[in-house]
Each structure stands twice: as structure tokens, then as C-alpha cells.
């Protein structure tokens, strides 16, 4: 079967480095990440396998404070319990928050101020929405379009709009805004190319690029991170596998030896499956060719 140019581009993006990891590995082990103290992380979408993996990774890396936000408090409490069991000294706060509600996202500002004196080192937007995979715009539901853009794009905008000022004001070399994106973002054809999800995720990645342009000179690092593949990621091994997403994000936002990393990767589209040593070996090429960004080719 021949592949379209879009499918080839998406495959090249998935295989940007030779070694693709499907489990945690020593180089990004959160236990060896040296997070300074205090270190406060807000995870919007802090429930489920991915949210739990993120929370456990930052707890293991030594974050002193975690804010876990999502629509369902009971699920958040389970994630919080896991984080506290890993790091009993960490202050873990749960907050009911629908990312499509600006007022609820704004309320996280009050939580950061009241619980952590306004300190905020890292914000991770992990919320996402996808309806049924129907690669036909006539057959796709208008409601799925609205929901996808409300969650995937407007949710990131609300988080950036209200939480970036706290990141800017925090005295930290690790200040980061990370959006959990998808390899669907560069995809426009094939059986998984359902437009409401692919287009909203592409728009989300583009917003990250623009935030980078506007805030990198104020010390803010931002990135879009692909969490992994499709169905196989939700097998019985998903919790361990998705822990690697958290491990990659702790590596990405670590304040240790991060100046070059932040300079090169700021605003770019990344995959948590890429081997980070091989990724670092391509840093000069990434800068020279301006890779891992969305752009229109004009010849």
C-alpha cells in the first residue's frame, strides 16, 4: 500500500530519532531529576492513566507541590493518593475544573495564590477530547467539532491566559507550559484522519508556537508533547507506559543543565517516545533547519 505525502510526513515525525521507547528508561528517570525546592506543578487533566502518570512522575522527581485539576473530584483523589504515597512531604491539592470553563480555569489562580503563595513552576495541559473516528467531514458531528476546539484549543488558551502571569512572576529557571498534544496534529489523510481532532490539535500546537514567540524572552519554556500511539497505549500496561510521558515531561522541564535544551526545543512539537540522547544529538540540525514546527512550504 502506498502512503500519501501526509502519511509519510507523520511517519517521519514519529521516527524523528532512531530509538523509540515504549517504557521508562534510565536517562529520564524522575528519581534522578534534581528539582529545586519549592517546585509547584499544576496538571490540568490530572486524572486517568496519563494524568496519573504525570502526577506520579513529578512526585517521584521531588516536586514540593502538585495541583491536580479535572472535572471529576473522585478520580482526582485517587491520583492524589498515589502522589502522596510516593512523596509524603509533597503538598497535593485537588481542584474540580472543567477546562472549557474560563471561570473554573481562572479559579486555579486563586488556588495557586492561597496554597502556594503564588508560586508556579510548571503548567501541564493534559485535557483532550476526541469523538468517533470518522474521516469524512460530512459525516462528522458538529458537536464533536465544537467540543474538540473547546477542550483542545480554548482550554489551552484559558490556561495560558490566566496562568502564564504566575509562571512569569515565579523566580524559577524551570518555568514551563506543556500541552499534551498528539501525532494527529500533522495528519491530514488516512483512516485516523478525523478532522475535528486533527485540526484542533494542530491549532493547539500552533498556539504553543505563538506563546513561545511572545514569552520566551520572559523566561518561559513551552512545548507540545505527543504522549504515544493509539489503541495499544491503552492496554493493561498503560499505567506503566504512560508513566514515561510524565518522565519525559520532568526531563523536559528540569532546571538541571536545561539552558541548551530550553533554547532548542522551545515552542516545538515533541514525542515522549523519542530517545532524548538521540534528540539532543540533533539539536544543531533542529535549529539550522527550524524543525518540529508547523509551516507552509513555499518554493
Amino acid at each position: 500500500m502506498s502512503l500519501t505525502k501526509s502519511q509519510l510526513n507523520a511517519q517521519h515525525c514519529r521516527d524523528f530519532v532512531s530509538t523509540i521507547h515504549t517504557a521508562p528508561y534510565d536517562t529520564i528517570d524522575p528519581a534522578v531529576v534534581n528539582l529545586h525546592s519549592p517546585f509547584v506543578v499544576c496538571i490540568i487533566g490530572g486524572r486517568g492513566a496519563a494524568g496519573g502518570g504525570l502526577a506520579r512522575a513529578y512526585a517521584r522527581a521531588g516536586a514540593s507541590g502538585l495541583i491536580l485539576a479535572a472535572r471529576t473530584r473522585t478520580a482526582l483523589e485517587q491520583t492524589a493518593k498515589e502522589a502522596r504515597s510516593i512523596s509524603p512531604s509533597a503538598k497535593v491539592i485537588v481542584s474540580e475544573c472543567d477546562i472549557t470553563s474560563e471561570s473554573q480555569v481562572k479559579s486555579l489562580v486563586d488556588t495557586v495564590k492561597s496554597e502556594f503563595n503564588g508560586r508556579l513552576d510548571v503548567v501541564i495541559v493534559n485535557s483532550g477530547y476526541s469523538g468517533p473516528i470518522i474521516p469524512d467531514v460530512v459525516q462528522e458531528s458538529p458537536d464533536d467539532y465544537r467540543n474538540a476546539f473547546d477542550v483542545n484549543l480554548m482550554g489551552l488558551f484559558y490556561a495560558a491566559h490566566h496562568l502564564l502571569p504566575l509562571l512569569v512572576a515565579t523566580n524559577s529557571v524551570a518555568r514551563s507550559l506543556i500541552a499534551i498534544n498528539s501525532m494527529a496534529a500533522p495528519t491530514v489523510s488516512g483512516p485516523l484522519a478525523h478532522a475535528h481532532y486533527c485540526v484542533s490539535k494542530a491549532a493547539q500546537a500552533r498556539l504553543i508556537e505563538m506563546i513561545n514567540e511572545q514569552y520566551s524572552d520572559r523566561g518561559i519554556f513551552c512545548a507540545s508533547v505527543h504522549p504515544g500511539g493509539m489503541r495499544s497505549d491503552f492496554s493493561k500496561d498503560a499505567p506503566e507506559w504512560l508513566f514515561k510521558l510524565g518522565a519525559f515531561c520532568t526531563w523536559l522541564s528540569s532546571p538541571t543543565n536545561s539552558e541548551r535544551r530550553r533554547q532548542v526545543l522551545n515552542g516545538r512539537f515533541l514525542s515522549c517516545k523519542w530517545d532524548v540522547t538521540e534528540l539532543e544529538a540533533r539539536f544543531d540540525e533542529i535549529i539550522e533547519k527550524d524543525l518540529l514546527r508547523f509551516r507552509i512550504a513555499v518554493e
Side-chain angles (χ1 to χ4, degrees), residues 277-293:
T277 302
E278 294 178 13
L279 179 61
E280 289 174 335
R282 297 194 67 175
F283 275 6
D284 289 341
E285 182 185 4
I286 290 170
I287 291 294
E288 179 184 352
K289 297 180 180 179
D290 196 23
L291 303 177
L292 306 175
R293 295 187 191 273

Side-chain angles (χ1 to χ4, degrees), residues 82-141:
E82 294 172 358
R84 294 185 186 111
S85 69
I86 293 170
S87 180
S89 64
K91 184 177 184 178
V92 183
I93 303 297
V94 299
S95 177
E96 289 186 37
C97 177
D98 181 345
I99 199 170
T100 67
S101 167
E102 182 180 6
S103 63
Q104 291 187 33
V105 175
K106 186 178 180 180
S107 71
L108 292 175
V109 175
D110 296 330
T111 300
V112 174
K113 289 180 177 179
S114 63
E115 299 291 345
F116 299 101
N117 198 31
R119 182 181 188 89
L120 189 59
D121 295 81
V122 176
V123 175
I124 300 181
V125 178
N126 178 53
S127 302
Y129 175 86
S130 174
I133 300 175
I134 304 173
D136 183 335
V137 295
V138 174
Q139 299 298 323
E140 283 187 279
S141 164

Side-chain angles (χ1 to χ4, degrees), residues 40-56:
V40 178
V41 182
C42 177
I43 303 171
I44 306 177
R47 59 177 292 271
L54 287 161
R56 291 193 300 274

